[in-house]
Amino acid sequence: MRRLLSLLLLFTPAVLAAAPQGLDALAGYAGRWKAEIHRFKTAYSDRGEDLFELRNDCWRSAGFFVCDQFVGGESKALLVFLYDAKSGGYASYPIAAAGVPVVHPGALVLQGPVWTFPWDTEEAGKLTHFRVVNTWESADSILFRQEYSADGKQWTLMAEGRETRLKD
């Protein structure tokens, strides 16, 4: 389940700081992307490389922005986003395909071109912090990294990579 959540969030592009605010800012998610991932051996990840196409079929309806996310041509998750205009905060709800239970809700923190998806897990009384950090280089290129931390201060890199928008 942890790997599924990290994959779903890892392949979720962000938008530039100059983009519109609120749910309209999420329109940058739509489209086809080439994803290159370099995973490192850690307590929460295995070493490896991946290269595949990601497609986000997205739409907005009133208070929701939603993407049906396809990885390698297969629908893998429905990503639902909400925006609270009062606080300026975002929430994300990834729902896995194929009957996998709903993944816990998460936050989305926007700081200019850097968008962070943080979440925590607790196993055997041990709290571990995770995050996926997306940094836009341009409207068509995103650098990302996935990390974990025991204290929320020192982070261990689990994976990094790049997404490049594919032109139709």
Side-chain angles (χ1 to χ4, degrees):
M1 185 60 71
R2 183 181 316 120
R3 179 172 164 85
L4 177 60
L5 176 61
S6 63
L7 285 174
L8 297 175
L9 295 177
L10 190 62
F11 304 127
T12 304
V15 295
L16 293 171
Q21 295 300 306
L23 290 173
D24 291 334
L26 302 175
Y29 284 166
R32 293 183 321 125
W33 300 81
K34 177 178 82 170
E36 302 173 51
I37 305 163
H38 311 284
R39 291 185 320 278
F40 303 99
K41 177 71 176 153
T42 74
Y44 297 97
S45 58
D46 294 322
R47 181 178 308 279
E49 308 282 325
D50 287 310
L51 175 64
F52 56 87
E53 183 176 315
L54 170 75
R55 186 177 90 233
N56 289 314
D57 289 340
C58 301
W59 65 95
R60 176 164 179 201
S61 179
F64 299 93
F65 187 86
V66 182
C67 295
D68 186 357
Q69 189 169 77
F70 292 78
V71 178
E74 293 183 33
S75 177
K76 295 292 184 180
L78 189 67
L79 306 172
V80 180
F81 295 92
L82 305 169
Y83 176 70
D84 180 357
K86 274 188 187 175
S87 70
Y90 293 83
S92 65
Y93 296 85
I95 304 167
V100 177
V102 173
V103 179
H104 64 80
L108 170 56
V109 180
L110 298 141
Q111 295 176 312
V114 179
W115 285 33
T116 304
F117 292 86
W119 74 96
D120 296 328
T121 63
E122 188 172 341
E123 290 183 22
K126 179 182 172 189
L127 181 66
T128 305
H129 309 280
F130 292 89
R131 68 183 181 188
V132 172
V133 180
N134 294 313
T135 303
W136 279 89
E137 294 184 302
S138 72
D140 296 327
S141 179
I142 304 162
L143 293 178
F144 60 82
R145 66 184 189 275
Q146 181 183 1
E147 303 168 321
Y148 76 92
S149 173
D151 62 9
K153 296 176 185 170
Q154 295 194 3
W155 294 88
T156 300
L157 184 63
M158 298 168 57
E160 65 183 357
R162 174 185 306 276
E163 292 179 15
T164 306
R165 187 183 302 276
L166 299 171
K167 303 294 183 184
D168 289 326

